[in-house]
Amino acid sequence: GETRHCDVGFLYDPGQRGEVRFVESWHVALAAAAPKLTLRRNYPYRGVSDSLVTHLRRRHGRRRYVGMVLEINQKHVCNKGWRALVAALGATLVEAVERS
């Protein structure tokens, strides 16, 4: 029942240069491709909160593992623009990987 003020959230560890670079690249690409979306960093959760990504960081070491979580507001799931959002995420992910 909680209203989220975000369409897509990028959750990452701001102390990890690789994660910061990757998220910045993806954020810029997605903002250009879908300017009507509200994009936020480390919202609605902090990227260092307990999660699979933080577990993998501890297990593999910060130098060997770069990870992040993408949060998509559930209002978009299976809605009219869902396929367009998925396409934009996929295309901009490729762009971010190539830039990082």
Side-chain angles (χ1 to χ4, degrees):
E2 193 172 328
T3 301
R4 302 284 190 206
H5 303 286
C6 176
D7 294 304
V8 177
F10 298 87
L11 311 181
Y12 64 99
D13 182 347
Q16 290 293 103
R17 275 190 294 171
E19 292 180 22
V20 171
R21 272 195 316 268
F22 178 71
V23 167
E24 182 61 26
S25 291
W26 199 359
H27 188 278
V28 166
L30 186 56
K36 292 184 179 182
L37 292 176
T38 300
L39 310 177
R40 295 188 61 188
R41 294 175 184 91
N42 284 328
Y43 177 88
Y45 309 104
R46 296 183 63 217
V48 294
S49 300
D50 193 33
S51 69
L52 176 60
V53 174
T54 54
H55 167 75
L56 292 171
R57 279 186 200 119
R58 285 191 300 270
R59 182 170 183 182
H60 297 290
R62 293 175 170 272
R63 290 180 181 208
R64 294 182 52 210
Y65 180 80
V66 172
M68 55 87 59
V69 174
L70 188 71
E71 285 278 332
I72 300 172
N73 190 313
Q74 65 188 28
K75 73 181 181 185
H76 295 290
V77 178
C78 297
N79 267 344
K80 190 168 128 181
W82 175 243
R83 289 178 191 247
L85 175 58
V86 170
L89 288 168
T92 56
L93 172 60
V94 169
E95 203 175 316
V97 168
E98 289 173 351
R99 286 184 186 178
S100 298

